[in-house]
Amino acid sequence: MNDARQAAVVGVAESDDIGIVPDKSTLQLQGEASLNALTDAGLTLKDVDGLFTAGFRTTEVAEYLGIQPRYFDGTHVGGSSFVVHLGHAAAAIASGRIEVALIVHGESGRSGIGLPASGSSPQGMEGQFEHPYGMPGAPGAYAMACARHMHQYGTTHEQLAEIAVAARKWAQLNERAFKRDPLSIDDVMASPIISWPFRKLDCCLVTDAAGAVVLTSTQRAKDLDARAVRVIGWGEGHDHQIISQMPDLTSGPGRISGPDAFAMAGVAHDDIDVAQIYDSFTYTVLTTLEDIGFCNKGEGGDFVSGGRIAPGGDLALNTSGGGLSYTHPGMFGIFTIIECVRQLRGSFSSQGQRQIENAKIGLVHGTGGKLSATGTAILAVE
Amino acid sequence: MTDYTKPLPKSDPVTAPFWDSLRRKAVEVQCCEDCNQFLFYPRAHCPACGSRALTWKPVSGRGTIYTMTIVEKTGNRNFKQDCPYVVALVELEEGCRMMSNIIDVTPAPQDVRIGMPVEIVYDAVTDDVTLPKFRPVAG
Ligand SMILES: [Zn+2]
């Protein structure tokens, strides 16, 4: 690739408030995050010529923000959308089509103010073949996949609990995290069952929040004050929509997006200093680590055990506290990018243990739908 | 009229034979004439090989639980009163999988398990719609 046209993230931000924000609409939260991320980059709305969003139509978001993009992408693959957008935006910048891309997402997920329309038809495939049986949306679908993984590989609930406990330990280092009280494996195991085998503390938070990411070319980035984080590899994949059609209940499309991202970046798993992996549920992290190659299929339980992904462990994972403890407004993917960029910029260097010392290469991964779609990207600083 | 308040499937021209067969209590599933695989849900072509040569065939209605979840809490108001209940993917003897409920069983992990043999029960929830449910095979 022409290095001058390689894409770099130059701005990241959340909305002004995150958590419980009952006085702000979904679009307002997205507007705040967008303006904050542009300010972080040293850019303005006028500079944006590429818009990437999911949930709302790009026209709705552009109209609200007050921008007229010449390139837009409303690819909507649930929580993975924004990592997928990162790759698409990088490609659009590399081809010279645009100079400044804005990726934004947020929802009034908890307060429910001004959410985009949703719903499905009784004549759709989910309406005909899943809804009549009381399939409880994402928790039930992920629980079904997890149950098969436990059956096939002997994965235990204690191993899943390790993921929730590690996320909480990271969240205790993040003053913006929604849940920061101490959490033990026993606490997770004692929490009420929602959809067996998932307990309450296997499931992500429901919050109000938005996040935004601004990219430009590395050449243009030189003129900005912001520390640029290059996008050096990306991949995407999907292999089903509804859970009953998932080809292998224990393995998702990360097995496509992960290797593609690593191959493009030309780095290996050992090179990853920090990883942000969508944690809609504890199990989502476990199966993703296997699918994208941090360990073999079936070994995810061992991989996360003994605090290996907690602060001080072998792999710095979900250092914000993730969707399990930091924030989760509906589709978390945008926040994986924000945290990764901040780690690579050294943004937490004054905050002690949260900063991964000398982090140079980071991985972000989004999962969307019912384990349906994934996006993986690899970011780097010099 | 019926007082059934839960979501009902609405068939389309391709899926109608499946729903019709359930009303006759003789479940039929499509089979591909070219690669001999049974497929579900119904389609106008075989997702395994692309063939359009599909035949509706009666199946045994027997299978095993491929995976499952026990719903203890749900935001779906139509099903709240049923908690806990089992949603499962049943792998039919013929090889394809369908989602359903496992009934006539205690909804607890020690009583309903992956690999358990199950058989179809025809649940005529309305005059028009019969849902396929499954129960453990006796003995
Ligand atoms: Zn075929």
Side-chain angles (χ1 to χ4, degrees), chain A residues 112-148:
Chain A
I113 303 171
L115 292 170
S118 65
S120 62
S121 155
Q123 204 163 40
M125 295 306 132
E126 194 171 27
Q128 288 195 56
F129 302 111
E130 295 198 352
H131 284 164
Y133 310 107
M135 183 60 189
Y142 283 72
M144 269 192 185
C146 183
R148 183 69 201 179

Side-chain angles (χ1 to χ4, degrees), chain A residues 337-356:
Chain A
I337 305 167
I338 293 170
E339 177 69 12
C340 186
V341 166
R342 287 175 174 163
Q343 286 287 356
L344 296 178
R345 284 175 165 182
S347 301
F348 308 117
S349 51
S350 62
Q351 295 174 39
Q353 209 184 355
R354 181 165 169 206
Q355 179 64 47
I356 307 310

Side-chain angles (χ1 to χ4, degrees), chain B residues 32-37 46-51 54:
Chain B
C32 174
E33 290 174 19
D34 285 311
C35 72
N36 284 318
Q37 292 194 44
C46 170
C49 76
S51 169
L54 303 176

